[in-house]
């Protein structure tokens, strides 16, 4: 029996090997990992949640353990809507739905909007989970280079003029993997382009609340007068990724489809976790928790930037994020980061090679992603020194 040739081609083209390798590394205690993409586990509110979870079981157990409504737990929808209103996000035509992480929201939006072979413009580099979701629907991906102020909007327009594009996918704030924040001008321009060329924008914003420097830039969704923007958020980076609670806010006509698609996907997001998030936000100071995260990541980012400055060769360029949990390093042209990744792993330091974040996964890539939210300050210093020594040898 040839199982491999029986698998659907839309999934056999997906590659996860590099990521699998990274996850293997993360499991090893003696590896300093800059490869993760999660908040600092020291911030997980485990003590508070212990009480909240037993309270849910004791007092709401029967309603927590039945089927729920696909749209989400009503009190959580209300809380998310209120929080989004503080940022001028939902418009009258919008609806908010709770999803099983931002990942599901992106997947549902793509499944609801994109026909086989239709185009999606993505930032290059971008978030692998979204790229793989788009690939699984046979979307044609068009990568557009990132600058210090976000995606190159002139290139976006060039593609829009020539190709059948359905969606522009952007992570405008503290982008994964670069840490870059898109300027307000570019946000306006993207929306203008979506209007002009009749396509949609998925604005993926799981890191937006994690600002530790600089001024807030309004979300594209705030300017979305005609329902072009599907706004995606998550509690993965502000609370914990394992609870799998995210949300999507978009025009109710698109949401109509998203809800039906979610119904055939997982029926609804686990009620228990939706109740947990609701009770946590209601009974504790969630904004203070986020502020603590911002302070911690700001400090860790500074430690990493100083170590990079001290130990990396001058020819390595890197971003200086104002928030989020990642920064992005660029080696001189022609150098491939993948073999350096393999050597770094031998020296027990892990990062994400840039090629995994690209449209063409096979092309050599001279970039890599560093996460600064999870390692201790001592490990950041130690790990960056090891990387710096390796880079000096490799680039000599
Ligand atoms: C840009 C971006 N979007 C979406 C996700 C998925 O987040 P969630 O855990 O909410 O599914 C991630 C996770 O790393 C991400 O970085």
């Amino acid at each position: 029996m040839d199982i491999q040739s029986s698998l659907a081609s839309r999934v056999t083209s997906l590659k996860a090997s590099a990521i699998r390798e990274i996850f293997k590394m993360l499991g090893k205690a003696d590896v300093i990992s800059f490869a993760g993409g999660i908040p600092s586990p020291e911030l997980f509110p485990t003590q508070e949640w212990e009480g909240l979870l037993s309270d849910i079981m004791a007092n709401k157990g029967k309603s927590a353990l039945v089927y729920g409504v696909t749209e989400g737990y009503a009190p959580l929808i209300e809380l998310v809507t209120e929080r989004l209103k503080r940022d001028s996000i939902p418009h009258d035509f919008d609806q908010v739905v709770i999803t099983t992480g931002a990942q599901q929201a992106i997947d549902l939006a793509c499944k609801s909007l994109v026909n086989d072979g239709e185009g999606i413009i993505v930032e290059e580099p971008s978030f692998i989970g979204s790229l793989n979701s788009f690939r699984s629907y046979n979307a044609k991906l068009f990568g557009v280079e990132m600058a210090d102020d976000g995606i190159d909007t002139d290139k976006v327009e060039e593609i829009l003029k020539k190709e059948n594009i359905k969606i522009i996918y952007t992570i405008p704030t503290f982008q994964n993997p670069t840490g870059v924040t898109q300027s307000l001008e570019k946000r306006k321009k993207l929306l203008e382009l979506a209007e002009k060329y009749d396509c949609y924008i998925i604005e993926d914003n799981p890191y937006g609340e994690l600002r530790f420097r600089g001024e807030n830039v309004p979300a594209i969704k705030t300017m979305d007068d005609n329902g072009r923007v599907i706004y995606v958020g998550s509690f993965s980076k502000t609370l914990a990724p394992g609870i799998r609670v995210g949300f999507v806010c978009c025009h109710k006509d698109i949401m109509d489809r998203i809800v039906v698609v979610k119904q055939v996907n997982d029926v609804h997001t686990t009620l228990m976790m939706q109740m947990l998030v609701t009770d946590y936000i209601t009974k504790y100071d969630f904004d203070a928790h986020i502020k603590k995260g911002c302070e911690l990541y700001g400090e860790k980012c500074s430690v990493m930037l100083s170590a990079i400055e001290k130990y990396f060769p001058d020819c390595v360029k890197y971003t200086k994020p104002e928030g989020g949990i990642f920064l992005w390093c660029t080696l001189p042209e022609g150098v491939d980061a993948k073999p350096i990744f393999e050597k770094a792993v031998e020296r027990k330091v892990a990062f994400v090679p840039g090629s995994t974040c690209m449209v063409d996964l096979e092309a050599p890539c001279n970039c890599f992603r560093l996460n600064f939210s999870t390692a201790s300050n001592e490990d950041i210093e130690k790990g960056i020194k090891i990387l710096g020594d390796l880079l000096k040898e490799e680039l000599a």
Side-chain angles (χ1 to χ4, degrees):
M1 186 170 58
D2 182 4
I3 294 176
Q4 285 309 318
S5 68
S6 310
L7 298 172
S9 55
R10 65 177 182 278
V11 295
T12 46
S13 63
L14 303 183
K15 295 217 168 51
S17 59
I19 290 292
R20 246 184 271 134
E21 217 166 318
I22 288 160
F23 275 99
K24 264 191 269 160
M25 285 306 121
L26 287 173
K28 293 190 181 161
D30 57 345
V31 170
I32 297 176
S33 179
F34 302 131
I38 63 167
S40 172
E42 75 187 76
L43 292 180
F44 293 161
T46 47
Q47 270 180 0
E48 295 90 327
W49 285 6
E50 194 183 334
L52 292 176
L53 283 169
S54 60
D55 183 54
I56 291 170
M57 270 302 116
N59 300 309
K60 296 186 268 199
K62 292 212 173 84
S63 47
L65 297 174
V66 293
Y67 283 124
V69 183
T70 301
E71 283 84 346
Y73 180 54
L76 183 58
I77 296 176
E78 210 172 294
L79 280 177
V80 169
T81 308
E82 267 170 36
R83 292 183 69 81
L84 289 176
K85 273 187 189 156
R86 299 194 315 196
D87 295 328
S88 316
I89 286 186
H91 301 262
D92 288 346
F93 49 72
D94 283 326
Q95 192 187 343
V96 173
V97 160
I98 306 300
T99 56
T100 303
Q103 176 72 50
Q104 187 189 45
I106 295 157
D107 192 72
L108 297 177
C110 183
K111 196 171 181 182
S112 303
L113 282 165
V114 179
N115 292 305
D116 261 32
E118 280 186 319
I120 301 183
I121 295 179
V122 299
E123 290 155 344
E124 193 158 49
S126 185
F127 168 53
I128 184 169
S130 300
L131 297 181
N132 270 346
S133 164
F134 303 154
R135 288 181 181 115
S136 74
Y137 296 109
N138 289 329
K140 203 167 160 197
L141 299 184
F142 296 87
V144 175
E145 246 172 69
M146 292 283 287
D148 287 347
D149 59 350
I151 194 167
D152 182 335
T153 47
D154 292 337
K155 294 237 171 78
V156 170
E157 181 152 25
E158 273 172 36
I159 297 169
L160 286 167
K161 272 184 192 159
K162 285 191 275 188
E163 306 287 344
N164 173 22
I165 301 297
K166 193 56 146 313
I167 288 175
I168 302 169
Y169 170 66
T170 178
I171 309 158
T173 308
F174 319 136
Q175 200 239 15
N176 179 8
T178 60
V180 159
T181 294
Q182 198 176 84
S183 65
L184 181 59
E185 293 66 38
K186 285 194 170 175
R187 291 174 193 226
K188 287 182 180 161
K189 184 72 190 175
L190 279 187
L191 188 55
E192 203 183 294
L193 291 174
E195 293 284 357
K196 185 170 167 190
Y197 294 92
D198 191 20
C199 60
Y200 295 87
I201 294 176
I202 296 181
E203 179 176 25
D204 185 12
N205 193 22
Y207 303 99
E209 290 182 288
L210 299 177
R211 177 176 286 281
F212 46 74
R213 264 193 291 278
E215 292 299 311
N216 179 50
V217 187
I220 304 173
K221 183 70 183 160
T222 62
M223 303 172 262
D224 177 31
D225 296 331
N226 297 313
R228 293 263 167 206
V229 182
I230 296 140
Y231 181 88
V232 174
S234 178
F235 291 102
S236 283
K237 315 295 170 172
T238 49
L239 284 175
I243 56 172
R244 310 305 305 129
V245 183
F247 52 89
V248 53
C249 169
C250 67
H251 194 290
K252 39 185 171 335
D253 291 350
I254 302 174
M255 197 64 97
D256 239 23
R257 286 300 90 196
I258 286 182
V259 169
V260 177
V261 173
K262 183 169 165 62
Q263 235 157 52
V264 299
N265 187 304
D266 65 349
V267 185
H268 62 80
T269 297
T270 313
L271 257 178
M272 194 56 195
M273 291 301 132
Q274 296 192 63
M275 286 177 169
L276 176 66
V277 174
T278 306
D279 289 355
Y280 178 73
I281 297 179
T282 315
K283 293 179 181 161
Y284 290 89
D285 191 343
F286 182 36
D287 288 326
H289 176 80
I290 293 174
K291 190 160 173 264
K292 215 162 127 189
C294 293
E295 282 161 9
L296 183 71
Y297 303 148
E299 185 198 323
K300 284 181 183 293
C301 183
S302 301
V303 172
M304 186 170 271
L305 288 171
S306 312
I308 288 176
E309 201 175 337
K310 197 151 96 188
Y311 299 119
F312 277 17
D314 289 342
C315 59
V316 181
K317 303 287 169 245
Y318 49 93
T319 57
K320 293 181 180 143
E322 295 188 335
I325 59 176
F326 305 114
L327 59 86
W328 183 249
C329 298
T330 305
L331 304 172
E333 213 137 310
V335 179
D336 187 1
K338 189 77 201 303
I340 297 178
F341 164 73
E342 279 151 20
K343 288 185 181 158
V345 165
E346 281 166 20
R347 296 184 193 191
K348 301 201 181 310
V349 179
F351 56 79
V352 174
S355 55
T356 60
C357 314
M358 300 295 175
V359 171
D360 179 357
L361 295 165
E362 304 302 332
C365 173
N366 63 332
C367 303
F368 59 92
R369 186 189 80 179
L370 293 175
N371 161 268
F372 49 79
S373 60
T374 47
S376 67
N377 290 353
E378 295 71 37
D379 277 354
I380 292 176
E381 173 88 16
K382 198 169 141 196
I384 294 295
K385 177 165 187 332
I386 294 170
L387 272 186
D389 290 345
L390 174 63
L391 290 171
K392 281 177 194 152
E393 288 165 30
E394 293 296 312
L395 304 177

